[in-house]
Amino acid sequence: MSSELKPVPLSAPHMGGGELPLVTDCLQTGWISSVGSYVSRFENEVASYVGSGHAVATSSGTAALHLALLVAGVRKNDEVLVSNLTFIAAANAVSYVGAFPVFIDAEPDHWQLDIKLVRSFLEQECVPREGRLFNKKTGRRVAAILPVHVLGHPAELASLQSLSREFSLTLIEDASESLGSDYRGVKTGKWGQIGCFSFNGNKIISTGGGGMLVTDRQDWAAKARYLSTQAKDDPIEYIHHEIGYNYRLTNVQAAMGCGQMEVLEARVQRRRAIFHFYEQALNKIPGISLQKISAEVRSNCWLSTILVDPTKFGHTSRELRTLLARDQIESRPLWQPMHRSPAYAAAAENKFPVSDLLYQQALSLPSCSFLSDGDLQRVAAAIQNAART
Ligand SMILES: *Cc1c(COP(=O)(O)O)cnc(C)c1O
């Protein structure tokens, strides 16, 4: 009976055990809120792990992205280049500052921001004026590039870094899914002027909810911290010179984060091993292929994701999802691409063929770091069985 089978989840939190004494310490001492030593300890640990000078913990990854755009000076009516194939948070953060996302399609191998399209947009559709770049069609200033490291695989960071320098744009990495990944030996989050991480429940390590912004610029880190605490200039008189936000991470969450940092490398290794298992087990099934890993990167393999070609496999990705669900195996298509999102309907006029194909065919498979080899074999067997039916 399938109802007696143990569920195999897609990406659930995986505590290491080291979190408990640290969280208990918060509860016993009463340091449970937005002040406390674990917040700065967690910030220091993530900053040194990534190799960044500064880190600011936030209440979510989305909050980190919002603050990143604010401190980078992205303003109302600016434009920001964003991955079209992304979780919507990256686009929403651009909207929060009153700017407009310009969506760029993915490349077909690693499913990251297509660098050729970025270059042709900047060279052909924009014009420099007084040290700034303007979109010829809209007249708006193009202020930043915001690549999302989709599924934990780094975007082409060396090219993005040189393009952003060439065109005087701020490079902000949405590294929410890619903590622990690197490009040419340098961690994601370190390549841009700002990098943003998420510790939401489904990410590689989690604080329940939370995020972090990393940067080498001391002034930007200080500004982000200031804005995240309601821009309070006087702690006694409550004087505020600006409109700020309540975006700070709590000490309890940070304590959990410190415990999770102890096991981050183990989590990365396990997720990579899961990807390699699926590669071995599934790549030979007709109509099934995995996301390719670039030779330039070490991916944290946050979510192992296959493409399902229905003409060769015999089922669509959605049909396979339903078949797996009957065996208590959780899987999920990629997000609706931004140009198809009703929330960003204005983008619908452009063509995004790679995003469309990935949206139709991609299916993320169970990738939790606590899955056993037996769990993985069950997933592979279920896919093999579906191929025959
Ligand atoms: C998880 C995620 C975020 C941030 O999510 P929060 O839930 O706000 O922490 C942003 N971008 C991407 C691509 C994500 O996957």
Side-chain angles (χ1 to χ4, degrees):
M1 284 287 288
S2 63
S3 60
E4 289 167 13
L5 283 170
K6 184 167 76 95
V8 183
L10 189 80
S11 188
H14 184 185
M15 295 295 108
E19 304 83 8
L20 195 57
L22 307 184
V23 170
T24 303
D25 182 39
C26 296
L27 303 187
Q28 285 176 338
T29 58
W31 291 96
I32 55 164
S33 195
S34 55
V35 183
S37 61
Y38 289 110
V39 176
S40 43
R41 180 171 146 188
F42 187 34
E43 288 174 338
N44 291 338
E45 286 181 8
V46 173
S48 76
Y49 179 81
V50 174
S52 292
H54 309 275
V56 180
T58 56
S59 52
S60 71
T62 310
L65 287 164
H66 186 188
L67 292 176
L69 290 156
L70 288 169
V71 301
V74 179
R75 290 185 297 268
K76 195 165 185 269
N77 291 327
D78 283 345
E79 290 183 355
V80 178
L81 275 62
V82 185
S83 309
N84 181 56
L85 186 74
T86 178
F87 177 54
I88 200 166
N92 285 352
V94 173
S95 303
Y96 297 164
V97 301
F100 294 88
V102 175
F103 295 115
I104 305 282
D105 204 1
E107 40 76 22
D109 288 335
H110 317 113
W111 313 348
Q112 308 303 317
L113 200 56
D114 187 331
I115 210 76
K116 290 194 294 295
L117 296 177
V118 173
R119 177 173 281 285
S120 73
F121 175 81
L122 295 174
E123 283 177 349
Q124 284 156 37
E125 297 187 43
C126 297
V127 58
R129 221 182 310 133
E130 291 159 10
R132 296 156 148 217
L133 195 70
F134 291 87
N135 182 332
K136 285 193 262 188
K137 199 160 70 192
T138 61
R140 297 181 189 127
R141 176 177 82 124
V142 181
I145 311 182
L146 178 44
V148 178
H149 303 306
V150 177
L151 301 169
H153 185 297
E156 281 181 62
L157 282 162
S159 304
L160 285 167
Q161 196 182 59
S162 53
L163 275 174
S164 65
R165 285 180 182 154
E166 186 183 337
F167 291 90
S168 307
L169 305 171
T170 306
L171 180 61
I172 300 171
E173 291 173 66
D174 183 347
S176 297
E177 301 175 1
S178 68
L179 181 64
S181 298
D182 68 53
Y183 184 92
R184 296 187 185 165
V186 176
K187 290 275 182 320
T188 60
K190 170 73 181 170
W191 284 83
Q193 280 115 304
I194 310 185
C196 299
F197 296 103
S198 166
F199 308 110
N200 184 32
N202 64 355
K203 298 302 197 290
I204 192 152
I205 62 167
S206 178
T207 60
M212 187 124 23
L213 168 164
V214 294
T215 180
D216 283 334
R217 283 192 59 163
Q218 197 275 333
D219 55 336
W220 283 5
K223 183 78 193 259
R225 186 165 284 121
Y226 172 72
L227 290 173
S228 76
T229 48
Q230 299 285 25
K232 198 192 291 168
D233 289 297
D234 186 310
I236 310 292
E237 301 288 343
Y238 281 71
I239 313 290
H240 308 263
H241 289 96
E242 275 185 62
I243 295 169
Y245 304 85
N246 177 8
Y247 276 173
R248 283 298 270 167
L249 193 73
T250 67
N251 203 46
V252 178
Q253 291 167 309
M256 217 166 149
C258 292
Q260 287 272 278
M261 282 304 285
E262 294 169 10
V263 293
L264 172 57
E265 191 48 37
R267 299 293 179 262
V268 172
Q269 281 177 22
R270 182 61 185 152
R271 292 213 186 220
R272 285 169 56 79
I274 290 170
F275 181 89
H276 292 300
F277 171 86
Y278 285 133
E279 218 175 21
Q280 296 294 314
L282 305 177
N283 258 341
K284 54 185 180 288
I285 302 176
I288 300 287
S289 57
L290 273 92
Q291 178 190 29
K292 292 189 181 68
I293 308 283
S294 158
E296 307 276 16
V297 313
R298 178 176 188 260
S299 174
N300 70 359
C301 296
W302 174 56
L303 290 183
S304 291
T305 303
I306 55 173
L307 290 184
V308 182
D309 178 347
T311 58
K312 294 187 189 130
F313 183 70
H315 299 283
T316 66
S317 60
R318 269 60 174 184
E319 287 164 356
L320 179 57
R321 194 201 71 79
T322 307
L323 291 168
L324 294 176
R326 279 187 205 152
D327 287 340
Q328 302 292 316
I329 295 167
E330 188 188 2
S331 63
R332 197 179 63 198
L334 287 182
W335 323 272
Q336 183 178 50
M338 291 302 103
H339 75 289
R340 300 215 168 261
S341 171
Y344 288 96
E349 62 197 49
N350 294 320
K351 296 268 175 288
F352 299 87
V354 177
S355 298
D356 278 332
L357 182 85
L358 294 172
Y359 180 48
Q360 279 162 26
Q361 296 199 351
L363 195 67
S364 295
L365 300 178
S367 306
C368 302
S369 40
F370 60 74
L371 295 180
S372 68
D373 290 353
D375 293 330
L376 300 177
Q377 274 149 11
R378 236 177 81 198
V379 178
I383 296 171
Q384 250 143 15
N385 289 339
R388 292 190 201 106
T389 55

